[in-house]
C-alpha cells in the first residue's frame, strides 16, 4: 500500500519492493524536498499505479517518479510504461544495480527515461540530489506537459543510422528508435513522405523531418546549442572531454567568459566508457556518461557556454586576440585558448573493416549497440583500460566475450583491478598474440579471420559484434603550422618546447612558455592531446584546471 506524508503539495513518487530501500530513498527525498513536495512511497508497481490513479482523481500533480528496476510481477520499466498513461509529464528515473545498466539504456527508448541512478545512491548530496534538482527544474519549465521525443527511423545494420543514434545518446537527447521494416517505422516513413531508400529519417520534436542529417543540422533541431552568443570571449576551450570540461568549469567559476566548442559530444573517449572505477571520489565507480553529464551541468551552472557539433578548422593570432575558425567559415575570438581536442581510436586496418564500420564493427563502446549484444558472442579488440572496461561491461549480458590482444599479456597496458575482474568473469576469454586478419560480411559483420602472431596460423570465427580499442591518435592535423607537435601529432608544451633552455623558434616574449603553454603564446594544451600526457581521466581534469590557472597568469601579464 502506498504511504504519503504532508498532503496538499506536488508529489515525488518512489517505488521499490525492498521495504528498507524504499524507506531509505523516501527518507533522503523528504530531507531535501519535504518542505516543498509531498513524498509518496510504494512497495510494488501495482500499488504505485493505484497511488498515481488516486492522485490523478484528486487533481494532484506528480513531478518526478523514481522506480526500482528489479521488482516482481511488474518491473520498473513496465511500471513506468503504466505511469506514462496517468502522468505523461512526470520526469522518470530508473533505479538500477550495476548489472542492469543495459536495461536502463533500453528504457531510454521504451519509456522516455530521463535518468537512471545506480544503487546505492549514497551520498545523496552527490548522486541523488543533483539529478532530482535538475529534473524538478525541467518539470517546472515544461509547464507539466510531456516533452515530445525525437523519433529515428532506420535500418538495423545501417552505419548512418548507427551514427545518428550514437550522436543522440552521447548528447543525452531522448529518442525513440523504429526499424524501417516494422509497422510503426513504415507508418512514420509514409507520414513523412519518405520512401525509405535514404535513411535514417529523424523526426524532431518541432515536427521537422530530417533525412540523413549531418550532426550540426541534427544538433540544431534537437535543442543543442550550436551558435555562440558573442563574438569575443576571455577563453575558448576546444574539445569537450574531461580536460575540456575541467577547463570550462574552472574558467567559468573564476569569472572568465568561457565557451567550450565540441565537434561531436562532450565526454570524449571517457564519455563512452561503460565504467570508470579508479577515478578519485567515486569508490563505487561511475559511468563515463554520468561523469560527463555532471561535469557539463556544472560548467553551464557557472555560466560556460557549450557548443555542440561545431568543427574547428583553424587558429590564428591577431595581436592580443586568438581567432578560432569553424568549418562553416564563421569565427569567434578570445584572449586565450585551451586545446583539449583529445584523441580518437585508431582504425583497424584489416580488410573488410572499413566497409563494415557501423554494421557490426564499432570503435569505442558504442553505447547504443551494447544492449543488442545480449546473449550474443562478442569480440573486443585491444589491451588497454578502455578495452577492459568494455569487455567487463559487455560480459554482463553477452553469451561470451573474447578479448583479442596483440601483446603477450594484459599487464603491460591494463590496470590491475580490470585484469582481476576479467579473470573472475567466467564468460570472458583473453587471446594474446592474436590480431584480426580480415572482416567478412555482406549487410553486416558475419565472420572474422583471426591470425595467431606466435605461430602464424589463422582461423575463422562466426561473429556479428566487434568493438575496437587499439590505441589513439591525436585530433591535431588542423593545427599544422600553428603550434609545434611531435612526430605523432601530439602537441608540445612548456618544458618540452625548450629542452635545451632556449625558447622555441618564433617565440617573441621575454619569458619562457608556461608549463602547459604551446609555441603560440596564450594558447594552452590539456589532456590526451598533449605530448607525454598520462592518458588518464584524473590527470586530464587536473590539466584542464591547471591550464586555467596559467591563463590567468598570461592575462595578468599581457
Amino acid at each position: 500500500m502506498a504511504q504519503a506524508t504532508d498532503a496538499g503539495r506536488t508529489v515525488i513518487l518512489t517505488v521499490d519492493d525492498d521495504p528498507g530501500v524504499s524507506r531509505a530513498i523516501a527518507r533522503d527525498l523528504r530531507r531535501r524536498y519535504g518542505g516543498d513536495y509531498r513524498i509518496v512511497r510504494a512497495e510494488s508497481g501495482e500499488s504505485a499505479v493505484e497511488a498515481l490513479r488516486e492522485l490523478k482523481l484528486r487533481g494532484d500533480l506528480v513531478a518526478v517518479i523514481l522506480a526500482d528496476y528489479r521488482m516482481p510481477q511488474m518491473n520498473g520499466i513496465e511500471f513506468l510504461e503504466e505511469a506514462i498513461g496517468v502522468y505523461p509529464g512526470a520526469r522518470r528515473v530508473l533505479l538500477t544495480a550495476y548489472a542492469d545498466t543495459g536495461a536502463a539504456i533500453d528504457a531510454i527508448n521504451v519509456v522516455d527515461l530521463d535518468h537512471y541512478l545506480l544503487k546505492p545512491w549514497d551520498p545523496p548530496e552527490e548522486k541523488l540530489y543533483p539529478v532530482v534538482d535538475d529534473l524538478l527544474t525541467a518539470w517546472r519549465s515544461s509547464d507539466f506537459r510531456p516533452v515530445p521525443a525525437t523519433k529515428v527511423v532506420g535500418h538495423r545494420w545501417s552505419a548512418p543510422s548507427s551514427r545518428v543514434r550514437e550522436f543522440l545518446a552521447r548528447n543525452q537527447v531522448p529518442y525513440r528508435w523504429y526499424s524501417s521494416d516494422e509497422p510503426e517505422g513504415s507508418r512514420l516513413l509514409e507520414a513523412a513522405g519518405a520512401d525509405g531508400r535514404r535513411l535514417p529519417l529523424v523526426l524532431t520534436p518541432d515536427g521537422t523531418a530530417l533525412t540523413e542529417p549531418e550532426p550540426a543540422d541534427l544538433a540544431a533541431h534537437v535543442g543543442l546549442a550550436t551558435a555562440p552568443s558573442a563574438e569575443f570571449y576571455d577563453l575558448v576551450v576546444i574539445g569537450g572531454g574531461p580536460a575540456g570540461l575541467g577547463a570550462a568549469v574552472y574558467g567559468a567559476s573564476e569569472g572568465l567568459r568561457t565557451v567550450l566548442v565540441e565537434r561531436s559530444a562532450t565526454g570524449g573517449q571517457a564519455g563512452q566508457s561503460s565504467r570508470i572505477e579508479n577515478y578519485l571520489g567515486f569508490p563505487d565507480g561511475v559511468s563515463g556518461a554520468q561523469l560527463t553529464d555532471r561535469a557539463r551541468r556544472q560548467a553551464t551552472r557557472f555560466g560556460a557556454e557549450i557548443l555542440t557539433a561545431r568543427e574547428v578548422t583553424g587558429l590564428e593570432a591577431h595581436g592580443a586576440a586568438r581567432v578560432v575558425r569553424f568549418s562553416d567559415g564563421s569565427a569567434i575570438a578570445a584572449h586565450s585558448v585551451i586545446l583539449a581536442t583529445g584523441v580518437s581510436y585508431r582504425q583497424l586496418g584489416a580488410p573488410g573493416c572499413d566497409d563494415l564500420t557501423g554494421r557490426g564493427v564499432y570503435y569505442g563502446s558504442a553505447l547504443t549497440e551494447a544492449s543488442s549484444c545480449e546473449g550474443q558472442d562478442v569480440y573486443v579488440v585491444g589491451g588497454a583500460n578502455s578495452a577492459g572496461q568494455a569487455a567487463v561491461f559487455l560480459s554482463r549480458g553477452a553469451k561470451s566475450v573474447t578479448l583479442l590482444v596483440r601483446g603477450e599479456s594484459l599487464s603491460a597496458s591494463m590496470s590491475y583491478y580490470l585484469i582481476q575482474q576479467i579473470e573472475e568473469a567466467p564468460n570472458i576469454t583473453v587471446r594474446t598474440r592474436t590480431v584480426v586478419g580480415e572482416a567478412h560480411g555482406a549487410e553486416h559483420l558475419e565472420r572474422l579471420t583471426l591470425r595467431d602472431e606466435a605461430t602464424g596460423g589463422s582461423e575463422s570465427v562466426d561473429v556479428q559484434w566487434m568493438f575496437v580499442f587499439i590505441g589513439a591518435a591525436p585530433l591535431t592535423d588542423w593545427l599544422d603550422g600553428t603550434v609545434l607537435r611531435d612526430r605523432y601529432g601530439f602537441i608540445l608544451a612548456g618544458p618540452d618546447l625548450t629542452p635545451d633552455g632556449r625558447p622555441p623558434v618564433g617565440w617573441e616574449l621575454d619569458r619562457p612558455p608556461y608549463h602547459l603553454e604551446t609555441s603560440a603564446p596564450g594558447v594552452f594544451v590539456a589532456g590526451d592531446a598533449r605530448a607525454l600526457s598520462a592518458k588518464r581521466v584524473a590527470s586530464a581534469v587536473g590539466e584542464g584546471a591547471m591550464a586555467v590557472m596559467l591563463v590567468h597568469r598570461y592575462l595578468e601579464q599581457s
Side-chain angles (χ1 to χ4, degrees):
M1 192 62 193
Q3 300 175 20
T5 61
D6 302 325
R9 291 190 293 270
T10 300
V11 168
I12 298 174
L13 172 73
T14 175
V15 52
D16 195 303
D17 67 300
D18 184 320
V21 175
S22 179
R23 286 191 295 269
I25 193 166
R27 176 203 65 215
D28 287 341
L29 290 171
R30 191 173 295 113
R31 189 173 66 193
R32 173 84 164 209
Y33 306 104
D36 300 306
Y37 295 88
R38 181 182 171 207
I39 309 303
V40 174
R41 177 169 69 86
E43 294 182 3
S44 73
E46 294 85 351
S47 66
V49 171
E50 181 183 346
L52 287 174
R53 289 172 178 159
E54 291 176 1
L55 292 167
K56 189 76 171 181
L57 285 173
R58 291 203 300 264
D60 292 337
L61 297 173
V62 175
V64 177
I65 300 172
L66 301 96
D68 181 47
Y69 171 62
R70 288 181 179 265
M71 294 188 293
Q73 284 82 53
M74 179 185 289
N75 67 33
I77 297 176
E78 293 167 340
F79 160 68
L80 289 174
E81 284 187 279
E82 292 284 335
I84 288 174
V86 185
Y87 280 97
R91 301 293 162 162
R92 293 173 284 278
V93 180
L94 193 68
L95 299 173
T96 71
Y98 178 48
D100 297 324
T101 51
I105 292 171
D106 288 342
I108 292 173
N109 294 323
V110 176
V111 294
D112 285 343
L113 193 68
D114 292 291
H115 205 90
Y116 69 89
L117 283 171
L118 294 178
K119 297 191 293 186
W121 58 87
D122 293 325
E125 289 79 9
E126 258 185 46
K127 297 184 178 181
L128 177 64
Y129 298 153
V131 171
V132 177
D133 285 347
D134 281 355
L135 294 178
L136 289 171
T137 299
W139 178 79
R140 287 192 295 266
S141 65
S142 69
D143 196 25
F144 319 142
R145 290 189 295 268
V147 177
T150 297
K151 298 179 176 66
V152 181
V153 183
H155 189 273
R156 175 69 195 83
W157 296 110
S158 160
S161 296
S162 178
R163 285 193 294 269
V164 164
R165 294 174 66 196
E166 192 76 3
F167 178 85
L168 294 173
R170 290 188 60 197
N171 282 289
Q172 299 192 357
V173 176
Y175 73 94
R176 288 181 178 271
W177 162 255
Y178 301 90
S179 178
S180 58
D181 56 6
E182 294 178 353
E184 184 62 16
S186 299
R187 188 192 69 77
L188 289 171
L189 288 173
E190 183 179 353
D195 60 12
R197 287 177 291 184
R198 295 178 59 202
L199 294 176
L201 170 72
V202 179
L203 301 172
T204 66
D206 63 6
T208 303
L210 304 173
T211 302
E212 297 180 315
E214 293 297 321
D217 195 26
L218 180 58
H221 280 88
V222 296
L224 299 174
T226 59
S229 65
E231 295 180 354
F232 199 91
Y233 295 83
D234 295 317
L235 171 63
V236 175
V237 180
I238 303 175
L245 287 168
V249 167
Y250 280 91
S253 68
E254 294 175 10
L256 297 178
R257 185 163 191 184
T258 303
V259 60
L260 183 151
V261 182
E262 168 56 47
R263 70 189 186 104
S264 179
T266 49
Q269 283 188 318
Q272 295 178 277
S273 175
S274 54
R275 199 73 180 162
I276 302 169
E277 296 190 60
N278 59 350
Y279 186 61
L280 184 66
F282 291 88
D284 300 317
V286 62
S287 74
Q290 288 174 314
L291 188 63
T292 297
D293 178 59
R294 292 180 180 189
R296 182 170 50 204
R297 288 189 283 117
Q298 192 174 16
T300 55
R301 278 183 176 176
F302 282 125
E305 289 182 43
I306 297 180
L307 307 182
T308 305
R310 295 304 300 266
E311 184 175 4
V312 176
T313 56
L315 176 61
E316 303 167 4
H318 291 283
R322 302 293 175 263
V323 178
V324 175
R325 299 203 177 276
F326 298 117
S327 57
D328 64 358
S330 62
I332 56 175
H335 292 300
S336 59
V337 172
I338 294 177
L339 302 171
T341 51
V343 293
S344 64
Y345 289 112
R346 288 195 172 93
Q347 305 294 293
L348 199 60
C353 287
D354 285 349
D355 293 339
L356 294 170
T357 297
R359 298 188 293 132
V361 177
Y362 303 97
Y363 291 88
S365 59
L367 298 176
T368 55
E369 307 297 338
S371 60
S372 300
C373 298
E374 187 168 347
Q376 304 288 313
D377 296 314
V378 179
Y379 279 67
V380 176
V381 183
N385 278 8
S386 295
Q389 289 163 351
V392 171
F393 175 67
L394 292 167
S395 71
R396 300 182 187 278
K399 176 183 177 183
S400 71
V401 176
T402 302
L403 190 59
L404 304 178
V405 184
R406 180 186 289 272
E408 295 184 358
S409 71
L410 294 174
S411 59
S413 54
M414 188 177 293
S415 294
Y416 177 67
Y417 80 92
L418 276 173
I419 296 175
Q420 284 185 306
Q421 291 182 12
I422 288 170
E423 290 175 347
E424 292 169 0
N427 60 338
I428 299 180
T429 301
V430 179
R431 296 186 54 168
T432 59
R433 301 294 302 276
T434 304
V435 298
V436 176
E438 189 171 356
H440 311 269
E443 289 191 355
H444 58 85
L445 177 66
E446 298 172 358
R447 194 171 69 259
L448 292 174
T449 297
L450 305 181
R451 188 173 68 249
D452 187 321
E453 294 209 315
T455 65
S458 63
E459 66 173 300
S460 179
V461 294
D462 293 330
V463 62
Q464 292 185 323
W465 306 93
M466 179 172 69
F467 299 87
V468 183
F469 307 80
I470 56 168
L475 300 168
T476 61
D477 288 348
W478 62 277
L479 288 165
D480 188 31
T482 303
V483 298
L484 293 178
R485 301 176 297 155
D486 67 13
R487 58 177 177 161
Y488 303 107
F490 292 96
I491 300 169
L492 298 168
D496 296 322
L497 285 167
T498 59
D500 54 4
R502 291 183 297 180
V505 176
W507 186 262
E508 298 177 353
L509 302 182
D510 58 359
R511 62 164 176 82
Y514 295 132
H515 183 67
L516 297 176
E517 195 169 19
T518 70
S519 57
V523 178
F524 299 82
V525 61
D528 290 358
R530 184 177 67 84
L532 304 177
S533 64
K535 308 295 186 290
R536 288 291 186 268
V537 174
S539 61
V541 173
E543 287 190 8
M546 183 187 296
V548 171
M549 179 192 73
L550 298 173
V551 164
H552 280 292
R553 189 179 300 176
Y554 167 79
L555 295 177
E556 289 168 359
Q557 296 185 2
S558 296

Coordinates of all heavy atoms in Angstrom, one line a residue, residues 223-270:
G223 N 17.7 20.8 -30.0 CA 17.8 21.7 -28.8 C 19.2 21.8 -28.3 O 19.4 22.4 -27.2
L224 N 20.2 21.3 -29.0 CA 21.6 21.5 -28.6 C 22.1 22.9 -29.1 O 21.8 23.3 -30.2 CB 22.5 20.4 -29.1 CG 22.2 19.0 -28.6 CD1 23.0 18.0 -29.4 CD2 22.3 18.9 -27.1
A225 N 22.9 23.6 -28.3 CA 23.4 24.9 -28.7 C 24.5 24.7 -29.7 O 25.5 23.9 -29.5 CB 24.0 25.6 -27.5
T226 N 24.4 25.4 -30.8 CA 25.4 25.3 -31.9 C 26.0 26.6 -32.3 O 27.0 26.7 -32.9 CB 24.8 24.7 -33.1 OG1 23.7 25.5 -33.6 CG2 24.3 23.2 -32.9
A227 N 25.4 27.7 -31.8 CA 25.8 29.1 -32.2 C 26.3 29.8 -31.0 O 25.6 29.8 -30.0 CB 24.7 29.8 -32.9
P228 N 27.5 30.5 -31.1 CA 27.9 31.3 -29.9 C 27.1 32.5 -29.7 O 26.5 33.0 -30.6 CB 29.4 31.7 -30.3 CG 29.3 31.7 -31.8 CD 28.4 30.6 -32.2
S229 N 27.0 32.9 -28.4 CA 26.2 34.1 -28.1 C 27.0 35.4 -28.3 O 26.4 36.5 -28.2 CB 25.6 34.0 -26.7 OG 26.7 34.0 -25.8
A230 N 28.3 35.3 -28.4 CA 29.1 36.5 -28.5 C 30.2 36.3 -29.6 O 30.4 35.1 -30.1 CB 29.7 36.8 -27.2
E231 N 30.9 37.3 -29.9 CA 32.0 37.2 -30.9 C 33.3 37.2 -30.2 O 34.3 36.7 -30.8 CB 31.9 38.4 -31.8 CG 30.7 38.5 -32.7 CD 30.7 39.7 -33.7 OE1 31.6 40.5 -33.5 OE2 29.8 39.8 -34.5
F232 N 33.4 37.6 -28.9 CA 34.7 37.7 -28.2 C 34.5 37.1 -26.8 O 33.5 37.5 -26.1 CB 35.2 39.1 -28.2 CG 36.7 39.1 -27.9 CD1 37.6 39.1 -28.9 CD2 37.2 39.1 -26.6 CE1 39.0 39.1 -28.7 CE2 38.5 39.2 -26.3 CZ 39.4 39.2 -27.4
Y233 N 35.5 36.3 -26.4 CA 35.4 35.7 -25.0 C 36.8 35.9 -24.4 O 37.8 36.2 -25.0 CB 35.1 34.2 -25.2 CG 33.8 33.9 -25.7 CD1 33.5 33.9 -27.1 CD2 32.7 33.6 -24.8 CE1 32.3 33.6 -27.6 CE2 31.5 33.3 -25.3 CZ 31.2 33.3 -26.7 OH 30.0 33.0 -27.2
D234 N 36.8 35.6 -23.1 CA 38.1 35.6 -22.4 C 38.8 34.3 -22.7 O 40.0 34.2 -22.8 CB 37.9 35.6 -20.8 CG 37.3 37.0 -20.4 OD1 37.8 38.0 -20.9 OD2 36.4 37.0 -19.6
L235 N 38.0 33.2 -22.8 CA 38.6 31.9 -23.0 C 37.8 31.0 -23.9 O 36.6 30.9 -23.7 CB 38.8 31.2 -21.7 CG 39.2 29.7 -21.7 CD1 40.6 29.5 -22.3 CD2 39.1 29.1 -20.2
V236 N 38.4 30.4 -24.9 CA 37.8 29.4 -25.8 C 38.4 28.1 -25.5 O 39.7 27.9 -25.5 CB 37.9 29.7 -27.3 CG1 37.3 28.5 -28.1 CG2 37.2 31.0 -27.6
V237 N 37.6 27.1 -25.1 CA 38.1 25.7 -24.9 C 37.7 24.9 -26.1 O 36.5 24.8 -26.4 CB 37.5 25.1 -23.6 CG1 38.1 23.7 -23.3 CG2 37.9 26.0 -22.4
I238 N 38.7 24.3 -26.7 CA 38.4 23.4 -27.9 C 38.5 22.0 -27.5 O 39.5 21.5 -27.2 CB 39.3 23.8 -29.1 CG1 39.3 25.3 -29.4 CG2 39.0 22.9 -30.3 CD1 40.3 25.7 -30.4
G239 N 37.3 21.3 -27.4 CA 37.3 19.9 -27.0 C 36.5 19.7 -25.7 O 36.8 20.5 -24.8
G240 N 35.6 18.8 -25.7 CA 34.7 18.6 -24.5 C 34.9 17.3 -23.8 O 34.0 16.8 -23.1
G241 N 36.1 16.8 -23.8 CA 36.4 15.6 -22.9 C 36.7 16.1 -21.5 O 36.4 17.2 -21.1
P242 N 37.2 15.2 -20.7 CA 37.5 15.6 -19.3 C 38.3 16.8 -19.1 O 38.1 17.6 -18.2 CB 38.2 14.3 -18.7 CG 37.6 13.2 -19.5 CD 37.5 13.7 -20.9
A243 N 39.4 16.9 -19.9 CA 40.2 18.1 -19.8 C 39.5 19.4 -20.2 O 39.6 20.4 -19.5 CB 41.5 18.0 -20.7
G244 N 38.7 19.3 -21.3 CA 38.0 20.5 -21.7 C 36.9 20.9 -20.8 O 36.7 22.1 -20.5
L245 N 36.1 19.9 -20.3 CA 35.1 20.2 -19.3 C 35.7 20.7 -18.0 O 35.1 21.6 -17.4 CB 34.3 18.9 -19.0 CG 33.3 18.5 -20.1 CD1 32.8 17.0 -19.9 CD2 32.2 19.4 -20.3
G246 N 36.8 20.1 -17.6 CA 37.5 20.7 -16.4 C 37.9 22.1 -16.6 O 37.7 23.0 -15.7
A247 N 38.4 22.4 -17.7 CA 38.8 23.8 -18.0 C 37.6 24.7 -18.1 O 37.7 25.9 -17.6 CB 39.6 23.9 -19.4
A248 N 36.5 24.3 -18.6 CA 35.3 25.1 -18.7 C 34.7 25.4 -17.3 O 34.3 26.5 -17.0 CB 34.2 24.4 -19.5
V249 N 34.7 24.3 -16.4 CA 34.3 24.5 -15.1 C 35.1 25.6 -14.3 O 34.6 26.5 -13.7 CB 34.2 23.2 -14.3 CG1 34.1 23.4 -12.8 CG2 33.2 22.3 -14.8
Y250 N 36.4 25.4 -14.4 CA 37.3 26.3 -13.6 C 37.3 27.7 -14.3 O 37.4 28.7 -13.6 CB 38.7 25.7 -13.5 CG 38.8 24.7 -12.4 CD1 38.5 23.3 -12.7 CD2 39.0 25.0 -11.1 CE1 38.5 22.4 -11.7 CE2 39.1 24.1 -10.1 CZ 38.8 22.8 -10.4 OH 38.8 21.8 -9.3
G251 N 37.3 27.7 -15.6 CA 37.3 29.0 -16.2 C 36.1 29.9 -15.9 O 36.2 31.0 -15.5
A252 N 34.9 29.2 -16.1 CA 33.7 30.0 -15.8 C 33.5 30.3 -14.3 O 33.1 31.4 -14.0 CB 32.5 29.1 -16.3
S253 N 33.9 29.4 -13.4 CA 33.7 29.6 -12.0 C 34.7 30.7 -11.5 O 34.4 31.3 -10.4 CB 34.0 28.3 -11.2 OG 35.3 27.9 -11.3
E254 N 35.7 31.0 -12.2 CA 36.7 32.0 -11.8 C 36.5 33.3 -12.6 O 37.3 34.2 -12.6 CB 38.1 31.5 -12.0 CG 38.4 30.3 -11.0 CD 39.8 29.7 -11.2 OE1 40.6 30.3 -12.0 OE2 40.0 28.7 -10.7
G255 N 35.3 33.4 -13.2 CA 34.9 34.7 -13.7 C 35.3 35.0 -15.2 O 35.1 36.1 -15.7
L256 N 35.9 34.0 -15.9 CA 36.3 34.2 -17.3 C 35.0 33.9 -18.1 O 34.3 32.9 -17.9 CB 37.4 33.2 -17.7 CG 38.7 33.4 -16.9 CD1 39.7 32.3 -17.4 CD2 39.3 34.8 -17.2
R257 N 34.8 34.7 -19.1 CA 33.7 34.4 -20.1 C 34.2 33.3 -21.0 O 35.1 33.5 -21.8 CB 33.4 35.7 -20.9 CG 32.2 35.4 -21.8 CD 31.5 36.6 -22.3 NE 30.2 36.3 -22.9 CZ 29.4 37.2 -23.6 NH1 29.8 38.4 -23.6 NH2 28.3 36.8 -24.1
T258 N 33.6 32.1 -20.8 CA 34.1 30.9 -21.3 C 33.2 30.2 -22.3 O 32.0 30.2 -22.0 CB 34.5 29.9 -20.2 OG1 35.4 30.5 -19.3 CG2 35.0 28.6 -20.7
V259 N 33.7 29.8 -23.4 CA 32.9 29.0 -24.3 C 33.6 27.7 -24.6 O 34.9 27.7 -24.9 CB 32.5 29.7 -25.6 CG1 33.8 30.1 -26.4 CG2 31.6 28.9 -26.5
L260 N 33.0 26.6 -24.6 CA 33.6 25.3 -24.9 C 33.0 24.8 -26.3 O 31.8 24.9 -26.5 CB 33.3 24.2 -23.9 CG 33.9 22.8 -24.0 CD1 34.1 22.2 -22.7 CD2 33.0 21.9 -24.9
V261 N 33.9 24.4 -27.2 CA 33.4 24.0 -28.5 C 33.8 22.5 -28.7 O 34.9 22.1 -28.6 CB 34.2 24.9 -29.6 CG1 33.7 24.4 -31.0 CG2 34.0 26.3 -29.4
E262 N 32.7 21.8 -29.0 CA 32.9 20.3 -29.2 C 32.4 19.9 -30.6 O 31.3 20.3 -31.0 CB 32.2 19.6 -28.1 CG 32.0 18.1 -28.3 CD 33.3 17.3 -28.5 OE1 34.3 17.6 -27.7 OE2 33.4 16.5 -29.4
R263 N 33.1 19.1 -31.3 CA 32.7 18.7 -32.6 C 31.7 17.6 -32.7 O 31.0 17.4 -33.7 CB 34.0 18.3 -33.5 CG 34.6 17.0 -33.0 CD 35.9 16.8 -33.7 NE 36.4 15.4 -33.5 CZ 36.4 14.4 -34.3 NH1 35.9 14.6 -35.5 NH2 36.9 13.2 -34.0
S264 N 31.6 16.8 -31.6 CA 30.6 15.7 -31.6 C 29.8 15.7 -30.4 O 28.6 16.1 -30.4 CB 31.4 14.4 -31.8 OG 30.5 13.3 -31.7
A265 N 30.3 15.2 -29.3 CA 29.6 15.1 -28.0 C 30.6 15.3 -26.8 O 31.7 14.8 -26.9 CB 28.8 13.8 -27.9
T266 N 30.1 16.0 -25.8 CA 31.0 16.1 -24.6 C 31.3 14.8 -24.0 O 30.5 13.8 -24.1 CB 30.4 17.1 -23.6 OG1 29.0 16.6 -23.3 CG2 30.3 18.5 -24.1
G267 N 32.4 14.7 -23.4 CA 32.8 13.4 -22.7 C 34.1 12.8 -23.3 O 34.8 12.1 -22.7
G268 N 34.2 13.0 -24.7 CA 35.4 12.4 -25.3 C 35.3 10.9 -25.2 O 34.3 10.2 -25.1
Q269 N 36.5 10.3 -25.2 CA 36.6 8.8 -25.0 C 36.1 8.4 -23.7 O 35.5 7.4 -23.5 CB 38.1 8.4 -25.2 CG 38.5 8.3 -26.7 CD 39.8 7.6 -26.8 OE1 40.8 7.9 -26.1 NE2 40.0 6.8 -27.9
A270 N 36.4 9.2 -22.6 CA 35.9 8.9 -21.3 C 34.4 8.8 -21.2 O 33.8 8.0 -20.5 CB 36.5 9.9 -20.3

